[in-house]
Amino acid sequence: MGMGDWLRRLLGTPEPPEPAPARTAPPEFGPQPPVAPVALPDGWALTDDMTVALPPGRTVAEVVEVVIQAALAGSADEETERRLAAEFGLSADDAALARDRAFGGLVRAGTRIPENCPSPVKDPVAWESYQRGTRDPSLVSRIYPQMFPGG
């Protein structure tokens, strides 16, 4: 007789009901309705190409340096994008993409997971900032102290 049985007898409580058998198979789902395709606005295309066309003589490393220095100086995103547009002749959309990808590479570097390394071909700005953040983890911590404290 176990302790539980002894206490039940002593206190006069009823036996607990038998537990239901555990379900081992996942629930079955019936046929699913088709998912309607999402229509993109005219001129839009889905792509994983995150490259930004730079003028001759300018490099992705220079773009990343501008973004990193602006972040360390506490510049607003809009100010950084205006600077990228002015210095590199980028459109507003490309300046925003370049800033976003530079920060994306730093966040990926902050994870310290090698598989998070962006493609140098399809996402060269993120790749360059990932390389910088990997070489100097304190850089990532200074820009994102809440996410990556203590670099």
Side-chain angles (χ1 to χ4, degrees):
M1 173 186 318
M3 179 64 94
D5 293 328
W6 182 81
L7 284 172
R8 272 192 296 282
R9 280 188 181 173
L10 178 67
L11 299 173
T13 57
E15 287 282 322
E18 286 291 317
R23 186 177 181 145
T24 57
E28 293 186 25
F29 295 102
Q32 299 296 309
V35 176
V38 175
L40 295 174
D42 287 339
W44 284 42
L46 290 178
T47 180
D48 60 351
D49 181 358
M50 296 288 151
T51 59
V52 175
L54 297 175
R58 302 309 300 258
T59 66
V60 170
E62 292 173 317
V63 170
V64 171
E65 183 64 21
V66 166
V67 173
I68 288 173
Q69 291 308 314
L72 292 172
S75 299
D77 292 343
E78 296 80 18
E79 181 181 335
T80 302
E81 291 170 18
R82 281 192 297 274
R83 183 172 171 197
L84 289 170
E87 286 190 36
F88 298 93
L90 301 178
S91 68
D93 286 343
D94 281 350
L97 178 63
R99 181 192 53 76
D100 175 74
R101 300 319 306 145
F103 288 142
L106 289 173
V107 169
R108 288 178 175 207
T111 67
R112 298 185 183 183
I113 300 171
E115 292 81 13
N116 280 344
C117 182
S119 165
V121 174
K122 292 186 176 186
D123 201 354
V125 176
W127 183 86
E128 177 66 28
S129 65
Y130 177 90
Q131 301 306 310
R132 291 187 184 204
T134 302
R135 285 191 305 266
D136 182 4
S138 72
L139 178 64
V140 179
S141 294
R142 287 182 285 157
I143 294 173
Y144 293 108
Q146 299 84 3
M147 292 173 61
F148 306 106

